[in-house]
Amino acid sequence: MSHDPNMDSPEHSQERREFLRNTAIAAGAAVAAPGLLISIASATGEGGVTSDTRWGMLIDTDKCADGCTACVTACDKENGIDLVEQPQGNSDEMWEMQRPQWIRKLKLRDKQTGDITNLPMMCQHCEFPPCEDVCPTGASFKRADGIVMVDRHICIGCRYCMMACPYKARSFIHQNVAEQVVNAPRGKGCVESCNLCAHRIDEGQTTTACQDACAAEGHNAILFGDLKDRGSAISKALKSRSSQQVRADLELNTGVRYTNV
Amino acid sequence: MVAVVLIGLAAAFYMEHSGHHVTGMTNHIVWGLPHVFAIFMIVAASGALNVASIGSVFGGPLYKPLGRFSALLAIGLLAGGLFVLLLDLGRPDRLIVAVTTYNFKSIFAWNIFLYTGFFAIVGVYLWTMIDRSVHQHYKVLGFAAFFWRLALTTGTGSIFGFLVAREAYDAAILAPMFIIMSFAYGLAFFIVTLMAAYWWAERSIGDLRMTKLKNLLGVFVGGVLYFVTVYHLTNLYVTQHHGVESFFLASGGIYTVMFWFGQILIGGILPLFLIYSPAFDRSRMAVLVASLLVLVGGFFQIYVIVIGGQAFPMSLFPGKEVLETTMLDGAIAPYTPTFAEAALGVAGIMVAMIMVAVASRMLKVLPDTLEDPADKS
């Protein structure tokens, strides 16, 4: 290598120091910028969802009509579940056990009295969700506003949450997904469940698809709202009538409550 | 063996490419046959290390020469189990997420550390047994490996023990029960592979050593039966659990048959008879058959726990019967495993056996002779 005597002159030394300094600043900015952007983005997100709110539901089983599945149909449409097709070669029996279901209708009979109860069953949005506890990656999580959902970017499809859920509220996507709706992205090999129409809430709406469908049928069995707002219809209803949690013995403090079960 | 692994890999690719709809697994039986294979091998892996632990931790001189092979088998079985578990994930391509994003409240997340730690500790332990220059650390590593394997099996048992919602699980006894199960399965695997290796190499094993291993297996099998009895007796005491107990012990169809004939008879009573009957006192074949039966019975036991535990319905509304549902509420969930699931599971066992066979050739893990010390003099 040849030696350039000019390189040692004071001017060049100065230039070199400036060059190094600018490079360091540029490199530092390049490293910090994405982090900064991410923190700005998440700060914005956190601004939208706070723990001042806890979304919940009250189901009046006396109003839930025998044979009506309007809530299920509405949920399927809202969340693109009706777009998931039965794989070729799959029997109807297997499809019934493998297709995603976010909400289902149950008809119960009391063994003692013979009384019949109809109700919708879905994710109960526990305050202490077992699915969140067992998820190895944190993909199952509870939002600050009480909605339990799956981050489908980091769900590895281990199904441990499905083992842990006391309500059979979760579905695994067993097949390729061709069509889907924007508000409910779906991927083969991930787990999903009712998210109380989080996309609607985030847009500022105050009802879920199932609630709207139930009301449109004239039943009004589903009441959705903020459990922490003492003035909300759901809080007033919970205060005035006795309600119960499903599997209250587990002390999960569910966000979904039922009356007259 | 390599062909079986390739078929297993093809099966995994088929399952991942098409989606899990090509398996028998559903939203009801979410963990199927691959998980039975995986858990069986992971449980056996920690047990396979026992022979090494007896040599180094408890100072059993007759077991000491067997320590290297024991450690190698433990590593191989764990690798085979994880091979199956990971390839069955809904998104195996996201393995990097699993090892970079943790929820430390999840026993699964802890298990990732327990499994990788097991590889590391047992690997170094094996090194201290082989390389004289690091032999001074052998005792410390022996203790570390022993405690780590206890933690690992506790973690595996806790996968089920922490599932509060399901009646068949949610019992603290599952963790220690898995430990004693691992003792039995691991030792059975060890005896079978050791006898195969020595038969293959036309070497012999001393009678005293065989008798020690045989008696130890008897104690472990008896221990498993004891824990199973306690588990069911405590459940039977609780009225709430009468349903699930009746399902396992009397009315559960295939699961009841697997429990009594597979787990108890094949995996418990017959091996104990072969081990302790004077008629088979010196019979090598009896020890080999007993070990194989323990493995078959153990497989049934894990099947009953994993699949049977999911098949039994969760009770959402006690005192009510379910007239209509689309989610099999209140009903036994059916499950028929497919060929792909079985192929993946068997491939896992082959991965373990290939690893052990290849490493046995490359490393000096098997002593030239396992004749009893007295025989030499």
Side-chain angles (χ1 to χ4, degrees), chain A residues 97-98 101 104 107 109 111 132 134-136 152 155-160 163 168 172 174 188, chain B residues 16-17 20-21 25 27-28 31 88 90-91 94 103 106 159 166 316 319 321 323-324 326 329:
Chain A
M97 293 192 289
Q98 290 181 332
Q101 297 188 53
R104 64 187 187 273
K107 185 176 177 180
R109 179 167 56 203
K111 286 178 189 169
E132 183 196 24
V134 301
C135 177
R152 270 160 279 180
C155 172
I156 57 171
C158 72
R159 287 102 83 196
Y160 197 13
M163 290 289 281
K168 269 191 159 178
F172 181 68
H174 289 82
K188 175 180 69 178
Chain B
E16 300 306 335
H17 182 71
H20 275 62
H21 78 85
M25 288 179 269
N27 288 328
H28 311 281
W31 287 350
D88 179 77
R91 297 296 303 258
R94 288 185 180 164
N103 165 28
S106 169
I159 289 175
R166 295 187 186 259
L316 289 183
E321 60 180 315
L323 299 180
E324 285 173 22
T326 52
D329 294 280

Side-chain angles (χ1 to χ4, degrees), chain A:
Chain A
M1 246 172 77
S2 63
H3 180 72
D4 183 354
N6 291 332
M7 286 305 285
D8 290 325
S9 68
E11 298 82 35
H12 274 100
S13 279
Q14 182 67 24
E15 271 175 30
R16 190 164 54 180
R17 268 198 293 275
E18 266 180 35
F19 171 73
L20 286 173
R21 196 183 65 203
N22 291 341
T23 309
I25 291 170
V31 169
L36 204 64
L37 288 175
I38 287 167
S39 45
I40 291 168
S42 54
T44 318
E46 279 163 14
V49 176
T50 72
S51 56
D52 295 338
T53 306
R54 186 181 177 203
W55 297 112
M57 242 179 209
L58 180 62
I59 315 285
D60 186 341
T61 61
D62 277 352
K63 294 179 179 171
C64 184
D66 201 347
C68 173
T69 53
C71 55
V72 179
T73 312
C75 175
D76 285 357
K77 188 163 171 40
E78 180 79 16
N79 297 294
I81 297 168
D82 56 348
L83 298 174
V84 183
E85 290 178 354
Q86 181 171 358
Q88 273 193 331
N90 232 26
S91 67
D92 290 345
E93 191 194 4
M94 278 307 274
W95 169 239
E96 191 59 24
M97 293 192 289
Q98 290 181 332
R99 70 184 174 92
Q101 297 188 53
W102 286 18
I103 183 170
R104 64 187 187 273
K105 269 296 292 283
L106 286 182
K107 185 176 177 180
L108 311 167
R109 179 167 56 203
D110 193 290
K111 286 178 189 169
Q112 180 69 32
T113 63
D115 283 351
I116 300 288
T117 311
N118 283 281
L119 54 88
M121 176 53 60
M122 72 296 266
C123 171
Q124 301 288 294
H125 298 277
C126 313
E127 184 186 359
F128 307 105
C131 58
E132 183 196 24
D133 288 346
V134 301
C135 177
T137 65
S140 275
F141 72 106
K142 186 175 59 115
R143 298 203 327 185
D145 59 1
I147 296 178
V148 176
M149 53 196 292
V150 181
D151 179 347
R152 270 160 279 180
H153 293 293
I154 55 172
C155 172
I156 57 171
C158 72
R159 287 102 83 196
Y160 197 13
C161 58
M162 299 175 75
M163 290 289 281
C165 176
Y167 307 103
K168 269 191 159 178
R170 298 206 146 190
S171 296
F172 181 68
I173 301 303
H174 289 82
Q175 64 274 59
N176 286 302
V177 178
E179 279 189 83
Q180 46 186 308
V181 291
V182 176
N183 53 42
R186 170 166 291 117
K188 175 180 69 178
C190 289
V191 175
E192 53 183 50
S193 59
C194 160
N195 58 14
L196 289 177
C197 287
H199 60 282
R200 285 180 167 225
I201 297 167
D202 293 344
E203 287 168 0
Q205 295 186 52
T206 54
T207 59
T208 62
C210 54
Q211 180 188 15
D212 286 352
C214 189
E217 291 289 319
H219 303 313
N220 290 307
I222 301 175
L223 181 57
F224 171 79
D226 180 4
L227 299 172
K228 285 188 175 172
D229 176 3
R230 297 200 174 276
S232 68
I234 189 170
S235 291
K236 287 177 183 166
L238 280 168
K239 202 170 178 186
S240 63
R241 301 152 67 187
S242 80
S243 63
Q244 73 174 69
Q245 307 174 49
V246 180
R247 292 295 314 258
D249 58 313
L250 298 175
E251 300 194 20
L252 304 172
N253 189 15
T254 57
V256 178
R257 308 285 174 110
Y258 295 82
T259 57
N260 306 313
V261 177

Side-chain angles (χ1 to χ4, degrees), chain B residues 61-371:
Chain B
L62 278 176
Y63 290 96
K64 218 169 166 182
L66 300 169
R68 297 176 185 185
F69 187 64
S70 157
L72 178 65
L73 182 64
I75 291 176
L77 284 171
L78 183 61
L82 292 181
F83 170 86
V84 180
L85 200 63
L86 296 178
L87 285 179
D88 179 77
L89 287 177
R91 297 296 303 258
D93 52 313
R94 288 185 180 164
L95 185 59
I96 190 75
V97 175
V99 294
T100 50
T101 318
Y102 293 108
N103 165 28
F104 283 109
K105 206 174 172 191
S106 169
I107 191 71
F108 253 21
W110 284 97
N111 279 346
I112 292 168
F113 286 99
L114 288 171
Y115 296 155
T116 47
F118 188 82
F119 280 129
I121 291 177
V122 178
V124 178
Y125 181 34
L126 183 59
W127 179 30
T128 61
M129 284 192 268
I130 293 173
D131 188 349
R132 291 229 155 262
S133 65
V134 288
H135 190 69
Q136 70 267 29
H137 305 298
Y138 160 73
K139 273 261 173 209
V140 178
L141 261 302
F143 270 95
F146 178 66
F147 285 112
W148 201 269
R149 59 91 45 223
L150 288 181
L152 186 141
T153 328
T154 306
T156 310
S158 301
I159 289 175
F160 297 96
F162 289 172
L163 293 173
V164 292
R166 295 187 186 259
E167 286 187 42
Y169 310 141
D170 184 26
I173 197 176
L174 283 175
M177 189 167 98
F178 266 65
I179 292 180
I180 191 73
M181 281 153 62
S182 83
F183 284 6
Y185 307 171
L187 186 60
F189 252 117
F190 181 82
I191 292 173
V192 171
T193 45
L194 183 76
M195 286 180 82
Y198 274 69
W199 171 77
W200 204 11
E202 293 179 349
R203 297 177 193 167
S204 61
I205 306 170
D207 276 338
L208 186 58
R209 254 188 257 272
M210 267 326 280
T211 309
K212 285 237 173 205
L213 289 172
K214 181 179 100 162
N215 288 342
L216 194 60
L217 184 67
V219 171
F220 290 163
V221 171
V224 172
L225 283 178
Y226 168 76
F227 268 82
V228 169
T229 309
V230 172
Y231 166 78
H232 286 291
L233 282 180
T234 46
N235 257 355
L236 280 168
Y237 192 80
V238 183
T239 310
Q240 191 188 359
H241 291 153
H242 285 181
V244 72
E245 280 305 314
S246 151
F247 174 71
F248 281 135
L249 304 180
S251 62
I254 185 75
Y255 302 106
T256 303
V257 173
M258 283 188 182
F259 176 79
W260 288 111
F261 287 95
Q263 181 181 333
I264 303 297
L265 184 67
I266 296 177
I269 295 171
L270 285 180
L272 283 182
F273 177 72
L274 288 171
I275 289 167
Y276 290 118
S277 166
F280 304 109
D281 196 21
R282 297 244 155 183
S283 166
R284 295 290 171 94
M285 188 50 78
V287 182
L288 182 65
V289 173
S291 303
L292 287 170
L293 290 179
V294 168
L295 291 178
V296 172
F299 189 83
F300 280 121
Q301 182 171 19
I302 301 278
Y303 194 98
V304 170
I305 292 174
V306 176
I307 313 285
Q310 294 174 83
F312 186 76
M314 288 185 282
S315 171
L316 289 183
F317 299 96
K320 310 244 181 212
E321 60 180 315
V322 182
L323 299 180
E324 285 173 22
T325 175
T326 52
M327 255 312 208
L328 292 176
D329 294 280
I332 308 292
Y335 172 65
T336 311
T338 57
F339 175 75
E341 293 164 79
L344 176 59
V346 174
I349 293 188
M350 289 305 143
V351 165
M353 293 302 113
I354 289 172
M355 277 183 70
V356 172
V358 171
S360 301
R361 291 257 159 183
M362 291 165 64
L363 303 170
K364 192 170 162 48
V365 293
L366 288 165
D368 292 333
T369 174
L370 276 179
E371 288 299 337

